[in-house]
Amino acid sequence: MKFRFTAIIAFIFLIFGHVVRAQIQKIDYTTTDHETLKINRISPAASSQSDKLSLDGQWLFSENVNKAPCTKDIQVPGEWVMQGFEVAKDAYAGYQKSFMLPKSWKNKRIKLRFDGVYSESEIWLNGQKTASHLGGFTPFEVDVTQFVKWSGNNQLVVKVKCSSLADSLASGSQYAAHPIGGITRKVYLVAIPKINFAYADFKTQFDKDYQNATLSADIIIANEQKASEKDLSVRMELFMADGKTKVMAKSANIQAGIEKGGLLQQNISFEVQKPEKWDPEHPNLYMVKLSIMDGDKLADVIYKRIGFRQIEVRGNQVFVNDRPIKLRGVCHHETMPLRGRSVNDNMWEKDVELFREANVNYMRTSHYPPPEELIDACNRLGMFLEVEAPFCWAHNTPVPLGTPLYHTLLVDQTLDMVNYFRSNPSVLIWSVGNESEKYKEYFKETAKLVKAFDPTRPRNFSQWGPAADDGDLEITNYHYPGPEGPEKFKNSKRPIVFDEYVHLNAYNRQELVTDPGVRDAWGIGFKSMWESMYRTPAILGGAIWAGIDDSFFLPDGKAVGYGTWGPLDGWRRKKPEYWHVKKVYSPVKIKQLSNWQNGQISLQLENRMLFSNLSECKIQWSLAGQNGFIQVDAKRDAKVTTKIAIAKQPSSNEKLMIKVYDPRGVMIDIYAFNVVPSIAEKASTQATIASWNYEQKGNILMASTRNLQVQVNLVSGDIEKVRFKGDRIWNHGPRLMILPLNGWGNGTQMTGDNLDIKPYTDVCKNRIVEEIKLDKSLKEFTVSIKESYTEAKGTISYQFLSDGTLNVGYKYTVQKDVNPRQWGFVFSLPESFQQLDWQRNGLWTYYPKDHIGRETGTAKLRSDTKISGPAGPPVLPTTAWRLDRNGLGTNDFRSTKMYITQADLTNDTSFFSVISDGHQHIRAWQEQGSIKALIAGYSNMGGEGFFRGHARKMDKPLNSGDLVMDHIQIKLN
C-alpha cells in the first residue's frame, strides 16, 4: 500500500459587496512529482450515493429574466425552443424552482449539481449570486451550504444565455440548426458529510502476464468543517458486481491531519488475483466501496463500478488487455425529434442496446461529452467510447489566448470532461476536439494537460487529416478517407482511426425523396470498405457518420437539423442501413460449403471477435422441424469447418436458419441458406398459341388475340393501351430514362416552413419518333420504334406473344456525357396497380421482414401513416420505417429493388411481371394518376457527396457515342 501527500490550497470565496460569489470550486491535483493541475470539483458522492434531491420537473420560466419574472411553466431538463419559447439571442432566460431541504441534511455540506446548462449561466439562491458557469456540455457543482434556508422554501433562480463563446466554440446551435439553450440535463441537490471525498479516480494495471492486477485509487479528502481533523483512516473494499460478494479489503490510517477548510491527497492500492477482465464482449464490473473513517465513525462513503481494463499503444496498434483491437463504430449525437439535444426516457441505454445489437463495439460522442447515463450504459452493456471535448469548427471563434477566458473555455471544459469520466472502463480514447484548425494555439496545451491528468488512455484530435495534431498524440485519424484509405495508411507509424467514414446518404435529398433504395445500396460500398479496413492492422477502425438521424420538429411545425443520416431514425426505428451495419460488422462469419448431401451440410465459421473464442457463443440452427447447436473451438481470426447432421432430406423451399448469440447473450447475426436446389421447369406454350388479328382506324392500330389486346398510336409511336382478358394493364409509353446522379438537397440543413423537395424522376427530353416498323404475323406482333431524345437516339422493339409474353429490346447511342444514377425504360401502368412483389439476389442471405431490400417481399403503394416530409414523421410513429410515405408512395414501394429475378406489379386480378436473370432492377412510384415502373439495366449507390468515393467504384459514366442496351422480358396476365 502506497501513500502520497501533497499540500493543497483551500477553497477560495470572493466577496463582491453584499453578494457572495462562490466560484466553481477548484482543487489542485498532483499528476506527477512535478505537475499540478487545477480542476473543477465534481464530488464523487454526488454520483454514488442516495442522499439526493432531484430538481427535475416543472419550473417557472421567463424569456428575459432581467425584464420579467419567471411565471410560465417549463420542464427541466429540456430546451426552451422545443417547448415553444423564443429567447432573444443575447438575453438571459430565467428558470425558477422552489425546494425545501430535509432536516437530516442540516449538518452536511449541500452541493448543487448541474449535469448540463447550455451554454452560459448564473446561479442565484435566495437572492444571492452563488456562481457562474460557461460551457453547455460539461457538468458543474456549487457548494450552496451558506446560502440555503433550513426552514421554508428556498428559491433557486438560474439565468441562462444560449449564445456565448462556449456555444460558438462547440458550434452547438449551428449544428442543431436551432438555439439549444436551457437546462438540458438533470439537476439535483446532494448532501455530503463535512469530511468527504472531493475527488476519486480508480485505475487498474495488470502484471506482465495480464493475470493479476493492481487496483489503485487517487483520492482527495476535503475537510469542510470549522476544525482540523487528525484521527482519520481510509478503507477500500472490492466487491463483485452485485455489491455484496466481497473480493478483498484494506484499510490505512492517514498519518497527516487536515486543517479546517483543507484538502489532503492520498493514493491507496492493492493487488487483485486473477480478476475478471472488462471488455465489450465481457463487460465484467466490480464494485469499489471507499470509506473515510473518523475514529470509529463512518465519515463518508462512495461507491464506484469499475472494470479491470488496460489500454496500451504499441507501434501502430492499440491493445486492450494485451489484445489488439479493431473498432466497429458509429458517431453518436444526443438527439430526440421533439426534445432536441436534451434526452430522456433512458434513451442512452436504448441507444447502446440498439448499437451493440448491430455489432457496434465503439461509439464516438460527437461533438461533445455525453451525460453520465450514456457512460454508465456503456460500462454495463459493453461498448468502447471515444469521448470528445465540446469543440467543433472552433477555429471560427476568436479566443484571447493566454487569458483566464482561454482557460475557462478550452482548458476547463476539456479537463472537466476527463475529470468526470476518467474512472470508467468503457472510455477508451479522449478526443480534444472535432474538425478545428489552430491546433497549436487552441489545443496543444489542452492535449498536454489531458495526458498529464490521465496517462492511461490515448488521445485523438478528430480532424480532416492525420497531420492536424503535428504528430503529438498517440492516435491519428482521417475523416472520410474513401476506399483508398486503408492502402494509403497501411504503414502509418501511429494507429489511425477513421472516426467519421462511410457517410450515409443525407445531403442528396432529391434522390432520397425519390428513391429510398439508395439507403439499401449504401451497404455495397460499406461492405467493401470495412473488409479492406479489417485486413489492415494499422487501421484501428472507424465510426460511421452518423448513428442517429439529427432532425428535430419544432413546436411551430418547422423541421430543422442537419440530416437523416443514421441507420436509426430519430425515433430509434431501424432504417435499411441498420441491417447492413449489423451484417458488415458481424464478428462471426458463416459460409455454406455444400448442399445437403448424405445427411450432412458443411459450413465454414470465421471468428472475428476480439476477446472471445467461438465456443463462448451460442450458435443455434433449425431446418425442416429439426434444430440443434453448433459447437466449435475457434480462437480469434480462426476459420473452422464443421458439419450439421440432417437425417431427412429437406425440401427446396426450406432454408437452414442459423442464429448467433455472443457471450453477452446478444443475437449478433442470422444466416439463411438454401441447402437443396430448386428446380425450374419451363412448360411448353405451343398449345396456347393463338392467331393475331389486326384492325386499323386512322392512326390507331389494334392488335389482338383471344386474351391480349394491344393499341398502338402510329403517330406518337406509343403503346397506348394493353389489355389482358379485358383488364387494362398498360397505359402508354414507355420512355427512356438516363437519370444523372444528383447530390442536390436544398443545402445541408433542413430549415424552412416547408421543405418541398421535388421528386427526381425525369425521363429523357424532346422525344422525336423517326420510324415505326410493324411485323403483323399470325404468331406474334412486333413493333419497332426508331427515335431520338436530347440525351440519346436509337431503337426499341416490342415483341408481343399471344400468351401475354412481351420481349423488349433496346439499343441507344448516348448523345451527351452523363454519369447516370440509373438508366432503363419507364413503363406507365393504371393507378390500380398498387402492389409490388419481388424476388431478388440480395447482398445477404437473410433480411428482416421489414427491410426494403429483403430478397422476397410485398410492398403496397399506400399505408395507414400520414404523408411526411424529408425528415420523416413529426410525431412518434407506431409503424416500421418502410411504411413511411410521401406522394410517390411508401418507402418500401418506391425504393429500387436491385438484382431482381422477378418483380410483379398487380391490382390483385392482373399482373405486370418482369422476368430477369438478376442483372436488372425495378423502381415503382405514383405519378399523375399512374403507376410508373422503371425497369433499369443499371442502378448504383447514389450521389451523396461524402460517400462518393465509395459509390464511384460502382459508377459507369456514359460518354457521347456510348451504347445503352438491354433486353426486358415481361409477362402480362
Side-chain angles (χ1 to χ4, degrees), residues 829-837 858-863 889-890 893 904-908 910 924-926 929-931:
L829 282 63
E831 194 172 16
S832 61
F833 282 69
Q834 297 186 6
Q835 178 174 309
L836 173 65
D837 302 294
T858 295
K860 302 283 188 179
L861 172 69
R862 297 189 178 93
S863 66
T890 62
F893 184 84
D904 307 322
L905 279 159
T906 177
N907 61 3
D908 292 332
S910 298
W925 67 95
Q926 184 179 39
S930 298
I931 299 297

PDB file of all heavy atoms in Angstrom, residues 829-837 858-863 889-890 893 904-908 910 924-926 929-931:
ATOM      1  N   LEU A 829     -48.424   2.304 -65.882  1.00  0.00           N
ATOM      2  CA  LEU A 829     -49.488   1.354 -65.598  1.00  0.00           C
ATOM      3  C   LEU A 829     -50.680   2.079 -64.978  1.00  0.00           C
ATOM      4  O   LEU A 829     -50.535   3.172 -64.436  1.00  0.00           O
ATOM      5  CB  LEU A 829     -49.000   0.267 -64.625  1.00  0.00           C
ATOM      6  CG  LEU A 829     -48.128  -0.871 -65.187  1.00  0.00           C
ATOM      7  CD1 LEU A 829     -46.816  -0.369 -65.730  1.00  0.00           C
ATOM      8  CD2 LEU A 829     -47.871  -1.902 -64.082  1.00  0.00           C
ATOM      9  N   PRO A 830     -51.863   1.478 -65.032  1.00  0.00           N
ATOM     10  CA  PRO A 830     -53.015   2.091 -64.375  1.00  0.00           C
ATOM     11  C   PRO A 830     -52.761   2.276 -62.877  1.00  0.00           C
ATOM     12  O   PRO A 830     -51.996   1.535 -62.253  1.00  0.00           O
ATOM     13  CB  PRO A 830     -54.148   1.100 -64.626  1.00  0.00           C
ATOM     14  CG  PRO A 830     -53.734   0.365 -65.856  1.00  0.00           C
ATOM     15  CD  PRO A 830     -52.252   0.266 -65.779  1.00  0.00           C
ATOM     16  N   GLU A 831     -53.424   3.249 -62.283  1.00  0.00           N
ATOM     17  CA  GLU A 831     -53.213   3.594 -60.879  1.00  0.00           C
ATOM     18  C   GLU A 831     -53.633   2.467 -59.935  1.00  0.00           C
ATOM     19  O   GLU A 831     -53.238   2.444 -58.775  1.00  0.00           O
ATOM     20  CB  GLU A 831     -53.981   4.872 -60.541  1.00  0.00           C
ATOM     21  CG  GLU A 831     -53.561   5.501 -59.232  1.00  0.00           C
ATOM     22  CD  GLU A 831     -54.202   6.859 -59.024  1.00  0.00           C
ATOM     23  OE1 GLU A 831     -55.187   7.169 -59.739  1.00  0.00           O
ATOM     24  OE2 GLU A 831     -53.722   7.610 -58.168  1.00  0.00           O
ATOM     25  N   SER A 832     -54.403   1.516 -60.437  1.00  0.00           N
ATOM     26  CA  SER A 832     -54.861   0.419 -59.578  1.00  0.00           C
ATOM     27  C   SER A 832     -53.751  -0.580 -59.266  1.00  0.00           C
ATOM     28  O   SER A 832     -53.889  -1.390 -58.353  1.00  0.00           O
ATOM     29  CB  SER A 832     -56.029  -0.318 -60.239  1.00  0.00           C
ATOM     30  OG  SER A 832     -55.625  -0.882 -61.482  1.00  0.00           O
ATOM     31  N   PHE A 833     -52.606  -0.522 -59.974  1.00  0.00           N
ATOM     32  CA  PHE A 833     -51.511  -1.466 -59.754  1.00  0.00           C
ATOM     33  C   PHE A 833     -50.654  -0.971 -58.581  1.00  0.00           C
ATOM     34  O   PHE A 833     -49.568  -0.431 -58.759  1.00  0.00           O
ATOM     35  CB  PHE A 833     -50.682  -1.629 -61.028  1.00  0.00           C
ATOM     36  CG  PHE A 833     -51.324  -2.530 -62.047  1.00  0.00           C
ATOM     37  CD1 PHE A 833     -52.471  -2.131 -62.711  1.00  0.00           C
ATOM     38  CD2 PHE A 833     -50.801  -3.783 -62.312  1.00  0.00           C
ATOM     39  CE1 PHE A 833     -53.087  -2.952 -63.639  1.00  0.00           C
ATOM     40  CE2 PHE A 833     -51.411  -4.621 -63.247  1.00  0.00           C
ATOM     41  CZ  PHE A 833     -52.563  -4.210 -63.904  1.00  0.00           C
ATOM     42  N   GLN A 834     -51.173  -1.175 -57.386  1.00  0.00           N
ATOM     43  CA  GLN A 834     -50.592  -0.562 -56.197  1.00  0.00           C
ATOM     44  C   GLN A 834     -49.845  -1.551 -55.319  1.00  0.00           C
ATOM     45  O   GLN A 834     -49.517  -1.250 -54.170  1.00  0.00           O
ATOM     46  CB  GLN A 834     -51.689   0.127 -55.382  1.00  0.00           C
ATOM     47  CG  GLN A 834     -52.347   1.268 -56.132  1.00  0.00           C
ATOM     48  CD  GLN A 834     -53.325   2.048 -55.281  1.00  0.00           C
ATOM     49  OE1 GLN A 834     -53.445   1.820 -54.077  1.00  0.00           O
ATOM     50  NE2 GLN A 834     -54.035   2.971 -55.905  1.00  0.00           N
ATOM     51  N   GLN A 835     -49.554  -2.719 -55.836  1.00  0.00           N
ATOM     52  CA  GLN A 835     -48.787  -3.702 -55.070  1.00  0.00           C
ATOM     53  C   GLN A 835     -47.596  -4.168 -55.885  1.00  0.00           C
ATOM     54  O   GLN A 835     -47.722  -4.486 -57.070  1.00  0.00           O
ATOM     55  CB  GLN A 835     -49.656  -4.900 -54.698  1.00  0.00           C
ATOM     56  CG  GLN A 835     -48.893  -6.007 -53.935  1.00  0.00           C
ATOM     57  CD  GLN A 835     -49.806  -7.116 -53.461  1.00  0.00           C
ATOM     58  OE1 GLN A 835     -50.832  -6.853 -52.831  1.00  0.00           O
ATOM     59  NE2 GLN A 835     -49.442  -8.359 -53.757  1.00  0.00           N
ATOM     60  N   LEU A 836     -46.442  -4.198 -55.244  1.00  0.00           N
ATOM     61  CA  LEU A 836     -45.220  -4.680 -55.868  1.00  0.00           C
ATOM     62  C   LEU A 836     -44.741  -5.914 -55.122  1.00  0.00           C
ATOM     63  O   LEU A 836     -44.540  -5.885 -53.909  1.00  0.00           O
ATOM     64  CB  LEU A 836     -44.137  -3.596 -55.824  1.00  0.00           C
ATOM     65  CG  LEU A 836     -42.736  -4.004 -56.305  1.00  0.00           C
ATOM     66  CD1 LEU A 836     -42.751  -4.340 -57.801  1.00  0.00           C
ATOM     67  CD2 LEU A 836     -41.716  -2.902 -56.017  1.00  0.00           C
ATOM     68  N   ASP A 837     -44.574  -7.013 -55.846  1.00  0.00           N
ATOM     69  CA  ASP A 837     -43.989  -8.241 -55.302  1.00  0.00           C
ATOM     70  C   ASP A 837     -42.676  -8.494 -56.032  1.00  0.00           C
ATOM     71  O   ASP A 837     -42.563  -8.202 -57.232  1.00  0.00           O
ATOM     72  CB  ASP A 837     -44.923  -9.433 -55.513  1.00  0.00           C
ATOM     73  CG  ASP A 837     -46.286  -9.231 -54.887  1.00  0.00           C
ATOM     74  OD1 ASP A 837     -46.366  -9.164 -53.656  1.00  0.00           O
ATOM     75  OD2 ASP A 837     -47.281  -9.120 -55.648  1.00  0.00           O
ATOM     76  N   THR A 858     -43.381  -8.110 -50.449  1.00  0.00           N
ATOM     77  CA  THR A 858     -44.555  -7.438 -50.996  1.00  0.00           C
ATOM     78  C   THR A 858     -44.597  -6.035 -50.421  1.00  0.00           C
ATOM     79  O   THR A 858     -44.447  -5.854 -49.210  1.00  0.00           O
ATOM     80  CB  THR A 858     -45.841  -8.182 -50.629  1.00  0.00           C
ATOM     81  OG1 THR A 858     -45.839  -9.461 -51.253  1.00  0.00           O
ATOM     82  CG2 THR A 858     -47.079  -7.410 -51.097  1.00  0.00           C
ATOM     83  N   ALA A 859     -44.794  -5.050 -51.268  1.00  0.00           N
ATOM     84  CA  ALA A 859     -44.884  -3.659 -50.832  1.00  0.00           C
ATOM     85  C   ALA A 859     -46.143  -3.040 -51.403  1.00  0.00           C
ATOM     86  O   ALA A 859     -46.492  -3.273 -52.565  1.00  0.00           O
ATOM     87  CB  ALA A 859     -43.658  -2.871 -51.280  1.00  0.00           C
ATOM     88  N   LYS A 860     -46.803  -2.235 -50.586  1.00  0.00           N
ATOM     89  CA  LYS A 860     -48.003  -1.528 -51.005  1.00  0.00           C
ATOM     90  C   LYS A 860     -47.687  -0.065 -51.282  1.00  0.00           C
ATOM     91  O   LYS A 860     -46.847   0.537 -50.604  1.00  0.00           O
ATOM     92  CB  LYS A 860     -49.085  -1.614 -49.926  1.00  0.00           C
ATOM     93  CG  LYS A 860     -49.490  -3.035 -49.540  1.00  0.00           C
ATOM     94  CD  LYS A 860     -50.395  -3.658 -50.578  1.00  0.00           C
ATOM     95  CE  LYS A 860     -50.954  -4.992 -50.075  1.00  0.00           C
ATOM     96  NZ  LYS A 860     -51.863  -5.616 -51.058  1.00  0.00           N
ATOM     97  N   LEU A 861     -48.396   0.500 -52.249  1.00  0.00           N
ATOM     98  CA  LEU A 861     -48.215   1.911 -52.569  1.00  0.00           C
ATOM     99  C   LEU A 861     -48.507   2.788 -51.361  1.00  0.00           C
ATOM    100  O   LEU A 861     -47.781   3.740 -51.071  1.00  0.00           O
ATOM    101  CB  LEU A 861     -49.137   2.311 -53.731  1.00  0.00           C
ATOM    102  CG  LEU A 861     -49.211   3.810 -54.051  1.00  0.00           C
ATOM    103  CD1 LEU A 861     -47.899   4.298 -54.640  1.00  0.00           C
ATOM    104  CD2 LEU A 861     -50.381   4.103 -54.990  1.00  0.00           C
ATOM    105  N   ARG A 862     -49.582   2.470 -50.648  1.00  0.00           N
ATOM    106  CA  ARG A 862     -50.023   3.313 -49.541  1.00  0.00           C
ATOM    107  C   ARG A 862     -49.968   2.537 -48.229  1.00  0.00           C
ATOM    108  O   ARG A 862     -49.923   1.310 -48.198  1.00  0.00           O
ATOM    109  CB  ARG A 862     -51.439   3.824 -49.775  1.00  0.00           C
ATOM    110  CG  ARG A 862     -51.582   4.712 -51.006  1.00  0.00           C
ATOM    111  CD  ARG A 862     -52.960   5.370 -51.059  1.00  0.00           C
ATOM    112  NE  ARG A 862     -53.077   6.254 -52.209  1.00  0.00           N
ATOM    113  CZ  ARG A 862     -53.560   5.899 -53.392  1.00  0.00           C
ATOM    114  NH1 ARG A 862     -53.985   4.664 -53.570  1.00  0.00           N
ATOM    115  NH2 ARG A 862     -53.627   6.761 -54.384  1.00  0.00           N
ATOM    116  N   SER A 863     -49.987   3.285 -47.140  1.00  0.00           N
ATOM    117  CA  SER A 863     -50.086   2.720 -45.804  1.00  0.00           C
ATOM    118  C   SER A 863     -51.025   3.613 -45.002  1.00  0.00           C
ATOM    119  O   SER A 863     -51.500   4.640 -45.486  1.00  0.00           O
ATOM    120  CB  SER A 863     -48.701   2.663 -45.139  1.00  0.00           C
ATOM    121  OG  SER A 863     -48.206   3.973 -44.913  1.00  0.00           O
ATOM    122  N   GLY A 889     -45.425   7.324 -52.781  1.00  0.00           N
ATOM    123  CA  GLY A 889     -45.722   6.022 -52.207  1.00  0.00           C
ATOM    124  C   GLY A 889     -44.935   5.777 -50.939  1.00  0.00           C
ATOM    125  O   GLY A 889     -44.208   6.652 -50.449  1.00  0.00           O
ATOM    126  N   THR A 890     -45.069   4.584 -50.402  1.00  0.00           N
ATOM    127  CA  THR A 890     -44.327   4.230 -49.194  1.00  0.00           C
ATOM    128  C   THR A 890     -42.849   4.073 -49.509  1.00  0.00           C
ATOM    129  O   THR A 890     -42.439   3.872 -50.657  1.00  0.00           O
ATOM    130  CB  THR A 890     -44.851   2.918 -48.598  1.00  0.00           C
ATOM    131  OG1 THR A 890     -44.654   1.859 -49.554  1.00  0.00           O
ATOM    132  CG2 THR A 890     -46.329   3.014 -48.227  1.00  0.00           C
ATOM    133  N   PHE A 893     -42.428   0.722 -51.238  1.00  0.00           N
ATOM    134  CA  PHE A 893     -42.931   0.610 -52.610  1.00  0.00           C
ATOM    135  C   PHE A 893     -42.023   1.340 -53.595  1.00  0.00           C
ATOM    136  O   PHE A 893     -41.735   0.824 -54.687  1.00  0.00           O
ATOM    137  CB  PHE A 893     -44.345   1.177 -52.680  1.00  0.00           C
ATOM    138  CG  PHE A 893     -45.013   1.028 -54.020  1.00  0.00           C
ATOM    139  CD1 PHE A 893     -45.674  -0.148 -54.361  1.00  0.00           C
ATOM    140  CD2 PHE A 893     -44.998   2.065 -54.953  1.00  0.00           C
ATOM    141  CE1 PHE A 893     -46.286  -0.287 -55.593  1.00  0.00           C
ATOM    142  CE2 PHE A 893     -45.606   1.933 -56.177  1.00  0.00           C
ATOM    143  CZ  PHE A 893     -46.260   0.747 -56.504  1.00  0.00           C
ATOM    144  N   ASP A 904     -43.380  -8.232 -59.777  1.00  0.00           N
ATOM    145  CA  ASP A 904     -44.760  -8.148 -60.260  1.00  0.00           C
ATOM    146  C   ASP A 904     -45.424  -6.893 -59.705  1.00  0.00           C
ATOM    147  O   ASP A 904     -45.435  -6.677 -58.487  1.00  0.00           O
ATOM    148  CB  ASP A 904     -45.584  -9.355 -59.788  1.00  0.00           C
ATOM    149  CG  ASP A 904     -44.942 -10.677 -60.139  1.00  0.00           C
ATOM    150  OD1 ASP A 904     -44.364 -10.773 -61.228  1.00  0.00           O
ATOM    151  OD2 ASP A 904     -45.008 -11.590 -59.303  1.00  0.00           O
ATOM    152  N   LEU A 905     -46.009  -6.117 -60.608  1.00  0.00           N
ATOM    153  CA  LEU A 905     -46.929  -5.061 -60.202  1.00  0.00           C
ATOM    154  C   LEU A 905     -48.332  -5.578 -60.464  1.00  0.00           C
ATOM    155  O   LEU A 905     -48.637  -6.073 -61.568  1.00  0.00           O
ATOM    156  CB  LEU A 905     -46.661  -3.769 -60.977  1.00  0.00           C
ATOM    157  CG  LEU A 905     -45.494  -2.940 -60.426  1.00  0.00           C
ATOM    158  CD1 LEU A 905     -44.963  -1.988 -61.477  1.00  0.00           C
ATOM    159  CD2 LEU A 905     -45.917  -2.185 -59.167  1.00  0.00           C
ATOM    160  N   THR A 906     -49.195  -5.466 -59.457  1.00  0.00           N
ATOM    161  CA  THR A 906     -50.507  -6.105 -59.577  1.00  0.00           C
ATOM    162  C   THR A 906     -51.591  -5.260 -58.944  1.00  0.00           C
ATOM    163  O   THR A 906     -51.333  -4.446 -58.058  1.00  0.00           O
ATOM    164  CB  THR A 906     -50.479  -7.495 -58.906  1.00  0.00           C
ATOM    165  OG1 THR A 906     -51.775  -8.081 -58.977  1.00  0.00           O
ATOM    166  CG2 THR A 906     -50.083  -7.397 -57.441  1.00  0.00           C
ATOM    167  N   ASN A 907     -52.813  -5.472 -59.453  1.00  0.00           N
ATOM    168  CA  ASN A 907     -54.007  -4.900 -58.820  1.00  0.00           C
ATOM    169  C   ASN A 907     -54.867  -6.017 -58.227  1.00  0.00           C
ATOM    170  O   ASN A 907     -56.072  -5.856 -58.047  1.00  0.00           O
ATOM    171  CB  ASN A 907     -54.806  -4.071 -59.822  1.00  0.00           C
ATOM    172  CG  ASN A 907     -55.288  -4.889 -61.002  1.00  0.00           C
ATOM    173  OD1 ASN A 907     -55.082  -6.113 -61.057  1.00  0.00           O
ATOM    174  ND2 ASN A 907     -55.926  -4.239 -61.962  1.00  0.00           N
ATOM    175  N   ASP A 908     -54.244  -7.147 -57.962  1.00  0.00           N
ATOM    176  CA  ASP A 908     -54.858  -8.349 -57.374  1.00  0.00           C
ATOM    177  C   ASP A 908     -55.552  -9.239 -58.396  1.00  0.00           C
ATOM    178  O   ASP A 908     -55.809 -10.411 -58.121  1.00  0.00           O
ATOM    179  CB  ASP A 908     -55.854  -8.004 -56.255  1.00  0.00           C
ATOM    180  CG  ASP A 908     -55.169  -7.434 -55.031  1.00  0.00           C
ATOM    181  OD1 ASP A 908     -53.989  -7.768 -54.811  1.00  0.00           O
ATOM    182  OD2 ASP A 908     -55.800  -6.662 -54.301  1.00  0.00           O
ATOM    183  N   SER A 910     -54.815  -8.682 -62.123  1.00  0.00           N
ATOM    184  CA  SER A 910     -53.911  -8.724 -63.272  1.00  0.00           C
ATOM    185  C   SER A 910     -52.493  -8.415 -62.823  1.00  0.00           C
ATOM    186  O   SER A 910     -52.279  -7.755 -61.790  1.00  0.00           O
ATOM    187  CB  SER A 910     -54.353  -7.719 -64.336  1.00  0.00           C
ATOM    188  OG  SER A 910     -55.635  -8.040 -64.821  1.00  0.00           O
ATOM    189  N   ALA A 924     -40.678   1.555 -58.573  1.00  0.00           N
ATOM    190  CA  ALA A 924     -42.058   1.924 -58.889  1.00  0.00           C
ATOM    191  C   ALA A 924     -42.466   3.135 -58.063  1.00  0.00           C
ATOM    192  O   ALA A 924     -41.995   3.322 -56.936  1.00  0.00           O
ATOM    193  CB  ALA A 924     -43.002   0.756 -58.613  1.00  0.00           C
ATOM    194  N   TRP A 925     -43.358   3.957 -58.602  1.00  0.00           N
ATOM    195  CA  TRP A 925     -43.862   5.117 -57.879  1.00  0.00           C
ATOM    196  C   TRP A 925     -45.160   5.593 -58.515  1.00  0.00           C
ATOM    197  O   TRP A 925     -45.514   5.209 -59.634  1.00  0.00           O
ATOM    198  CB  TRP A 925     -42.832   6.251 -57.850  1.00  0.00           C
ATOM    199  CG  TRP A 925     -42.547   6.888 -59.182  1.00  0.00           C
ATOM    200  CD1 TRP A 925     -43.109   8.008 -59.706  1.00  0.00           C
ATOM    201  CD2 TRP A 925     -41.598   6.430 -60.176  1.00  0.00           C
ATOM    202  NE1 TRP A 925     -42.585   8.306 -60.946  1.00  0.00           N
ATOM    203  CE2 TRP A 925     -41.656   7.359 -61.257  1.00  0.00           C
ATOM    204  CE3 TRP A 925     -40.715   5.363 -60.249  1.00  0.00           C
ATOM    205  CZ2 TRP A 925     -40.866   7.220 -62.389  1.00  0.00           C
ATOM    206  CZ3 TRP A 925     -39.923   5.233 -61.387  1.00  0.00           C
ATOM    207  CH2 TRP A 925     -39.998   6.145 -62.435  1.00  0.00           C
ATOM    208  N   GLN A 926     -45.873   6.431 -57.783  1.00  0.00           N
ATOM    209  CA  GLN A 926     -47.122   7.016 -58.283  1.00  0.00           C
ATOM    210  C   GLN A 926     -46.827   8.393 -58.860  1.00  0.00           C
ATOM    211  O   GLN A 926     -46.143   9.202 -58.248  1.00  0.00           O
ATOM    212  CB  GLN A 926     -48.144   7.124 -57.151  1.00  0.00           C
ATOM    213  CG  GLN A 926     -49.514   7.630 -57.592  1.00  0.00           C
ATOM    214  CD  GLN A 926     -50.492   7.693 -56.432  1.00  0.00           C
ATOM    215  OE1 GLN A 926     -50.127   8.069 -55.320  1.00  0.00           O
ATOM    216  NE2 GLN A 926     -51.725   7.300 -56.669  1.00  0.00           N
ATOM    217  N   GLY A 929     -51.626  10.186 -61.623  1.00  0.00           N
ATOM    218  CA  GLY A 929     -52.697   9.241 -61.884  1.00  0.00           C
ATOM    219  C   GLY A 929     -52.268   7.921 -62.463  1.00  0.00           C
ATOM    220  O   GLY A 929     -53.120   7.137 -62.919  1.00  0.00           O
ATOM    221  N   SER A 930     -50.976   7.653 -62.466  1.00  0.00           N
ATOM    222  CA  SER A 930     -50.465   6.385 -62.996  1.00  0.00           C
ATOM    223  C   SER A 930     -49.455   5.798 -62.019  1.00  0.00           C
ATOM    224  O   SER A 930     -48.946   6.486 -61.134  1.00  0.00           O
ATOM    225  CB  SER A 930     -49.776   6.590 -64.354  1.00  0.00           C
ATOM    226  OG  SER A 930     -50.677   7.069 -65.323  1.00  0.00           O
ATOM    227  N   ILE A 931     -49.183   4.532 -62.210  1.00  0.00           N
ATOM    228  CA  ILE A 931     -48.067   3.881 -61.535  1.00  0.00           C
ATOM    229  C   ILE A 931     -46.948   3.744 -62.544  1.00  0.00           C
ATOM    230  O   ILE A 931     -47.130   3.151 -63.616  1.00  0.00           O
ATOM    231  CB  ILE A 931     -48.451   2.501 -60.987  1.00  0.00           C
ATOM    232  CG1 ILE A 931     -49.569   2.633 -59.959  1.00  0.00           C
ATOM    233  CG2 ILE A 931     -47.239   1.811 -60.376  1.00  0.00           C
ATOM    234  CD1 ILE A 931     -49.229   3.432 -58.724  1.00  0.00           C
TER     235      ILE A 931
END
